[in-house]
Amino acid sequence: MDKKQLRSDALESLKELEKEGQILSGDEQTVFWAKSLTQKPYSGDSVIMARIHYRLAGAYYYKGELDSIKWHMRMAWDLMEAQEGHPEMMALLYYGEGNMATIEGNLHQENYYFNHASQLIFSDSLIDLTPVQIASLYMATAQSDARLGQYKQAMEWNRRAIKTLEYDMAPAALQFRAFRQLANNYRISSDDTDSAYHYMQKMEVLSRRYPDQVNPRFLYDEKAHYFAKTEKLDSAVVYHLKLLEIDKETVASSNPHPSFFSNLFRDYVYLSDSYLKLGKQELAYQYMQQAFRFLEEEEKYLTDADYVLYQQVLVDYFFFTHQYEKAYQAYGLLMDKNQKLYENEYAQSIAEMSTIYQLQANERHILGLNRQVLLAESKLAHNRLLLVISALSALLAIAIVVILYIGRKQLKLKEEKEKVQLQKSAIELEQRLLRTQMEPHFIFNSLSALQSYIRIEEKEKALRYLNKFSRLLRNSLELSRESQVPLEDEIETLEYYLELQRMRYDESFEFKIHKPTGEDALHLLIPPMLIQPFVENAILHGVANATGQGMITVSLSLHKESLYVSIVDNGPGIKAVKQKPDGKQKSLSTTISRERLEILARAKGVTIQVTILDRHDMDSTLTGTQVELVIPLERGF
């Protein structure tokens, strides 16, 4: 049986396991899929292992453990990177990235990944995903499009989801969600209330038929807003009151989600608005007071959008009750909050769009480099064939005439020289490809930290962080274009990186860089961005876990034609990290750096050392990890 058939059989077996895993709880799923990683016939096959890591990421998604989700998704991407085809797996990975972006509140990134996955599925009818998986992805894409105001596109994805679910025993909850999203799209984006009512009626049929599978709150919510829009305010009040009772019970339950508080607050505001329009000012005032008290007590759970809605209704209330001065003051607060909300959304959109642009640019760049590497390898194979032919011709020429032998020998030498040059070009292209893989890893981490400053409104920190980040990014982009860079430029970029990370970790660690002495050091060249991934590891697994103030010391010294680098942290040490549940997690950037060092070693014919020591083994009074690198140098002009 060939390898392709073995993989196909193993995938079918894995899909049966996925059906079993669906009935397990979050903790049980984690254990279930972690055990599957080591079982035959799954272990050893990159595509199948990637799918299991995707399932592990899904198990951690329901537990809300973002770091574990990211780690398993990164492992899945690494395993799929060298694989061609497999659109089904790629669609699932894009879906997973979209869910991660949803958790982090990155709306534009979420929309980019969901649309990427949906387009991949829609354009390939042979993709082997279940109708439930396809419909779920289509509806996630539709919801994301609607949140960005792309209602026409959202309606199209919702209709495709409904069509996918047109079979017996299709999950009622999924059909209900698709009808609800379409009703919502029509109600918000147009005056076509008939279409909104049509899908609302379909929701009601499913609610009566499957009361245990659908949540009546969504139907009440859609009806309340529909009747408010069609100015049937008495009916709107009826359903807002039903929503109020449900949301009160939900908030009173154990461990309520922050969104439940927002729902209850909006119930008070909408009821006040409806009673105001009905001319029942006393009831309107009563619910407005309840909204005000709730705002004071649970402000931490409410969003800027909730506050804007409250201010809008408050302005209307003051105007209806002829309290014009209060209305003017409330209107001023509303304008300030609206402007602040717009500025925050604009800043976040700019950051997310920049990230998406970088992702697309790097994807195109990596694709181009891959093509160049394949072209170089093709030329090498072609030249090897020519060498064989030339050698045979040379042997035949020896038997005929000495002159032809000499000529063939010269031709052989020339071709050997071309072969060496092509090998050198292939190695350089591989180096550039590996460096390009590190750029989105670094950019995502930095933009995530910047986004958090913007979100919590620390503008001064955000500006300082953005200033340092722009310097570091400019240096990194300039250095990444070169195969060799001055040592002083590499050290300067490393200083920017450490300053940026120190801000990101709330100045929980200090650092020192001991530079090599002597004027010759200014003219030495090294490959760019080799040291930074090991420093990143010292932060993530070292000082980030230190019990007190962290400390990272980077020492650089020269010895003959090599640069000796020592990176020391005062964290718990490599052995302590490995004993943790995530101790086996392997840094992608460190792996890439090791591969680059191996390529340099092959290209230069030298031995390059990477040594990682637990300082506690060296001295029982010490903690932390010491990484030692030996990097070959070149002389500049």
Side-chain angles (χ1 to χ4, degrees), residues 559-623:
H559 183 69
K560 294 183 179 180
E561 297 299 319
S562 297
L563 175 67
Y564 281 67
V565 183
S566 171
I567 303 166
V568 178
D569 66 70
N570 65 341
I574 189 171
K575 290 185 177 179
V577 172
K578 285 184 177 179
Q579 290 173 357
K580 294 182 179 181
D582 60 345
K584 294 184 179 180
Q585 298 179 6
K586 191 174 183 181
S587 169
L588 174 62
S589 56
T590 305
T591 301
I592 293 173
S593 293
R594 285 180 178 271
E595 292 174 5
R596 291 180 62 202
L597 287 169
E598 290 172 4
I599 293 169
L600 283 171
R602 295 200 306 269
K604 294 181 177 292
V606 297
T607 301
I608 297 178
Q609 298 179 5
V610 179
T611 307
I612 302 177
L613 304 171
D614 194 309
R615 298 180 72 208
H616 188 73
D617 292 340
M618 302 162 59
D619 185 341
S620 60
T621 63
L622 300 176
T623 61

Side-chain angles (χ1 to χ4, degrees), residues 298-341:
E298 310 294 351
E299 183 179 5
K300 62 182 178 180
Y301 295 112
L302 304 180
T303 65
D304 288 341
D306 294 329
Y307 186 82
V308 167
L309 176 66
Y310 169 77
Q311 283 296 120
Q312 288 173 336
V313 176
L314 188 61
V315 170
D316 291 341
Y317 175 79
F318 286 142
F319 268 111
F320 267 88
T321 56
H322 308 295
Q323 301 178 62
Y324 298 117
E325 185 175 347
K326 289 184 178 180
Y328 178 76
Q329 292 173 353
Y331 183 76
L333 290 174
L334 174 62
M335 291 298 99
D336 291 342
K337 200 67 178 180
N338 260 325
Q339 182 177 359
K340 186 176 180 182
L341 180 62

Side-chain angles (χ1 to χ4, degrees), residues 14 17-18 21 24-39 42 48-76 79 89 92-93 96 100 103 581 585:
L14 180 61
L17 275 184
E18 288 175 343
L24 301 175
S25 66
D27 290 331
E28 290 173 333
Q29 280 201 33
T30 304
V31 175
F32 179 81
W33 290 116
K35 184 178 179 181
S36 300
L37 281 174
T38 59
Q39 291 180 337
Y42 310 130
I48 295 177
M49 294 286 282
R51 189 168 183 129
I52 295 176
H53 277 292
Y54 169 78
R55 287 295 170 188
L56 271 166
Y60 283 112
Y61 174 82
Y62 289 108
K63 295 169 68 176
E65 297 181 18
L66 185 58
D67 289 340
S68 297
I69 298 171
K70 287 184 175 180
W71 189 84
H72 285 289
M73 284 297 295
R74 187 168 63 189
M75 290 296 296
L79 288 164
M89 192 63 228
L92 290 175
L93 289 180
M100 278 201 303
I103 294 174
Q585 298 179 6

